[in-house]
Amino acid sequence: MRAISKALCKFVQKWLPSAYVLALILTLVAFLGAWGLTDSSLLDCVKYMSQGMYSLLSFTMQMVLVLVTGHCLASSKPVKKLLRSIAYLPKNRVAATLTVALVGMIATYLNWGLGMIAGALVAKEVARVFKGKGIKLDYAVLIAACHAGNIIRGPSSSIPLEVAAESSIVYETVGAIIPVSTTLYSSWNLIITVLVAISGLITYALICPRESECIEIQQAVLDADAAREEAEEKAHAAKSWKDMDFAEKLDNFAPLAIIPALIIVAYMVWYFWTKRTLNFGLNEVVLMFFAAGALCHKTPGNYSRAMGEAIKSAAGITLQFLFYAAIMGLVKNSGLVDILANFFVSISSAKTLPLFTFWAAGIVNIFVPSGGGQWTVQGPIMMQAADTLNADFAKTAMALCWGDSWTNQIQPFWALPALSLAGLGIKDIMGYCFTFAIVSGIVISVCFLVL
């Protein structure tokens, strides 16, 4: 396994372009596919692409806010203390990698927005602690391991929640709703979840590089964090309260940050009390991160400085999400996704439809890296096929959900937040991610055939 992952890493390092260039290439592939394989004219494809670029603006802003508020929270003293306590638990390279992977998986199961940040924060701190101890630890493997959690689907998964509503595509297509007890919380799906998690831990335990092959976290990354901490300390200790002018006192007046944060906390308590569920979305994640960060930084000035530093890490998201939105517009509006989905339907039976749905969803996800967006364009086709073939609706829906999350391992779209926090590029982790994508794909495929 280590030899396979090493070979994949070398291949990726040599041939895989940067995340932005890859987004441009995928856009061109989608454009040519829509033009050549559908009835769409060249002008139609131009319109689909151009109009699609604006379809994820609100989602992009949500992602930016998740990243920067999570970054701000991580840079606060209380959270650093907590992360360091976790980082000191593992005593060797394999244990460190598995700790990071487990944190990422648990956080992602609770909420995928939370999972994008939590694992990366722990990975960075683990790398810092081990470097301080003089123990070599491969930083890229840590970030890849935390990204492994992105395959796990839990209470915040959009597809099983969508099919459980009377307004869903399933209800409109076949006149039925599919409760979460038969999808997310069914015995077979829980078995898949556990097996995928175990396979992820085993995979990263086996591919963890030997000490002589480890590429440690760059000192520049640690120096930047240390410099930021030092600047915060100097800013806080620069003047006593009586020596500050009015504007400086407002910047350091804790109630201005704490009171709004407490209002948000009160809202979140009300939200969870009334909903009585872990089904919370990106907006709630942003609110939680913001409130926690504001409380941990204590003053408006501290939080503002942390935000100014954190926003630098959002460049990749703001640039590349425009093109992934364009790809979604092309694939959806041209009917390209229908061609792919209908092919898998044509070769399926009631027994094999969930498996082929899983594979089809994995391919479509490379071009439409959004569960909700993918369900909109692919869900009706698969549900109608399930009705025609008398296949299991719940398994077909979850197969699409698992397919969407499966190729997240090799789709830079969802890795960008973790990479931004880590200071790495997509080529640094993709070889390891591809290894786990192969393993998890086999595990999930077998489960859909056997369970």
Side-chain angles (χ1 to χ4, degrees), residues 288-354:
M288 287 189 290
F289 280 173
F290 174 81
L295 290 172
C296 290
H297 281 284
K298 297 182 181 179
T299 70
N302 287 343
Y303 195 72
S304 179
R305 286 186 289 272
M307 181 66 72
E309 184 66 29
I311 201 68
K312 298 175 185 177
S313 63
I317 291 176
T318 53
L319 176 62
Q320 293 165 48
F321 275 29
L322 284 173
F323 290 93
Y324 284 117
I327 293 170
M328 289 177 63
L330 280 165
V331 172
K332 176 181 178 181
N333 295 318
S334 69
L336 188 59
V337 69
D338 297 351
I339 295 175
L340 176 63
N342 284 324
F343 167 74
F344 281 100
V345 168
S346 68
I347 61 174
S348 300
S349 65
K351 176 68 174 177
T352 61
L353 181 64

Side-chain angles (χ1 to χ4, degrees), residues 362-402:
I363 296 173
V364 171
N365 181 61
I366 295 174
F367 297 94
V368 188
S370 165
Q374 186 170 347
W375 175 254
T376 300
V377 297
Q378 192 179 354
I381 299 169
M382 294 309 185
M383 288 299 102
Q384 187 62 58
D387 190 36
T388 302
L389 297 172
N390 198 28
D392 190 312
F393 289 131
K395 282 190 176 180
T396 303
M398 285 307 299
L400 202 155
C401 182
W402 279 107

Side-chain angles (χ1 to χ4, degrees), residues 91-93 127 130-137 211 216:
K91 304 303 181 184
N92 56 58
R93 292 177 295 106
F130 271 66
K131 191 174 183 67
K133 291 180 178 179
I135 303 175
K136 297 191 71 174
L137 184 64
E211 186 172 357
E216 296 181 278

Side-chain angles (χ1 to χ4, degrees), residues 118-298:
L121 299 179
V122 173
K124 194 173 185 179
E125 193 58 34
V126 167
R128 187 197 66 79
V129 169
F130 271 66
K131 191 174 183 67
K133 291 180 178 179
I135 303 175
K136 297 191 71 174
L137 184 64
D138 196 291
Y139 188 39
V141 169
L142 290 182
I143 299 301
C146 82
H147 183 57
N150 198 259
I151 198 173
I152 302 295
R153 284 297 171 257
S156 64
S157 301
S158 58
I159 292 175
L161 296 175
E162 163 68 17
V163 300
E166 288 190 3
S167 59
S168 70
I169 293 172
V170 179
Y171 191 80
E172 294 174 358
T173 304
V174 298
I177 63 172
I178 307 176
V180 292
S181 59
T182 63
T183 54
L184 271 178
Y185 304 118
S186 63
S187 58
W188 56 266
N189 190 65
L190 292 175
I191 290 173
I192 293 176
T193 303
V194 172
L195 289 179
V196 169
I198 292 174
S199 70
L201 295 175
I202 293 174
T203 299
Y204 276 96
L206 293 176
I207 67 177
C208 189
R210 296 183 178 91
E211 186 172 357
S212 59
E213 301 171 337
C214 288
I215 300 176
E216 296 181 278
I217 188 172
Q218 292 185 3
Q219 188 60 44
V221 176
L222 298 178
D223 290 343
D225 289 344
R228 184 169 58 251
E229 289 184 31
E230 184 179 353
E232 291 174 358
E233 290 290 342
K234 287 182 178 179
H236 183 72
K239 290 183 179 181
S240 64
W241 180 263
K242 66 178 181 179
D243 294 329
M244 294 180 185
D245 58 31
F246 179 74
E248 290 173 327
K249 286 182 178 180
L250 287 179
D251 273 346
N252 290 277
F253 188 55
L256 282 179
I258 293 175
I259 292 175
L262 290 177
I263 293 173
I264 294 174
V265 170
Y267 166 76
M268 295 308 301
V269 170
W270 171 85
Y271 178 90
F272 287 114
W273 180 259
T274 55
K275 298 288 184 180
R276 297 184 183 277
T277 179
L278 288 175
N279 173 29
F280 53 97
L282 280 177
N283 290 338
E284 287 71 38
V285 173
V286 170
L287 286 176
M288 287 189 290
F289 280 173
F290 174 81
L295 290 172
C296 290
H297 281 284
K298 297 182 181 179

Side-chain angles (χ1 to χ4, degrees), residues 70 72-84 121 292 296:
C72 288
L73 177 60
S75 65
S76 66
K77 288 183 178 180
V79 173
K80 283 181 178 178
K81 185 177 180 180
L82 173 62
L83 293 179
R84 283 170 184 167
L121 299 179
C296 290

